[in-house]
Amino acid sequence: MEESALMAAYAAAWVEVDLGRGTFVFPPVARGAPPRIPSLLAPEGFVITAYNPGSVRLEEAENRRRHDELRARLVEGRYTRFDAVGHDGVGTWREPSFAVVGAPVMEVLALAREFSQNAIYEWGDGIWRIVTIAPSR
């Protein structure tokens, strides 16, 4: 997929975060920041996935293995995390992810690079945006 089309797909995605007592839905980035973010997710955080590195579709078993590995890395870092899923809103694409609170941005970016991701989502202080990942040198 061409980079501009890929970024448009990221900007149009919905992200649902399982808070345990309900679900919080981040609207597509193209619509702007959500008006209120639940206190469990405050004041800032990120959404990261290990699925489909470099936007190349992998078999479900390999994606699940990568997801479990990312979960283990987040547990190891002692970061607060919530299960999340990114989707296109019409049911043709769903990608399990994690909403992460309390992790330093540089650590999240390093994990994104390690798992060959093109981008992560970031929220905080009125922001809901896509952060592109520069490839490792």
Side-chain angles (χ1 to χ4, degrees):
M1 183 181 287
E2 169 184 317
E3 187 174 343
S4 61
L6 192 57
M7 292 309 291
Y10 293 156
W14 296 81
V15 177
E16 295 182 17
V17 181
D18 180 354
L19 298 175
R21 296 177 301 223
T23 301
F24 179 74
V25 179
F26 283 98
V29 167
R31 295 186 181 187
R36 280 187 49 217
I37 294 175
S39 59
L40 286 173
L41 298 176
E44 59 196 15
F46 308 91
V47 177
I48 184 172
T49 186
Y51 266 56
N52 301 321
S55 296
V56 175
R57 284 192 183 261
L58 298 180
E59 295 294 323
E60 181 61 26
E62 177 61 13
N63 274 327
R64 178 57 51 194
R65 184 195 66 74
R66 292 171 56 81
H67 184 75
D68 291 345
E69 186 178 337
L70 176 57
R71 176 187 291 112
R73 295 294 305 280
L74 294 170
V75 168
E76 180 182 295
R78 296 188 171 148
Y79 304 125
T80 301
R81 75 205 174 291
F82 299 91
D83 289 330
V85 63
H87 62 86
D88 61 6
V90 295
T92 58
W93 168 76
R94 288 182 66 79
E95 197 164 290
S97 306
F98 294 102
V100 182
V101 179
V105 64
M106 297 309 287
E107 186 68 26
V108 178
L109 292 172
L111 283 170
R113 277 188 206 91
E114 180 181 333
F115 285 91
S116 302
Q117 296 302 304
N118 294 325
I120 60 173
Y121 293 96
E122 177 183 22
W123 74 82
D125 199 20
I127 322 171
W128 172 233
R129 66 181 178 174
I130 299 163
V131 179
T132 57
I133 308 301
S136 299
R137 294 182 178 167

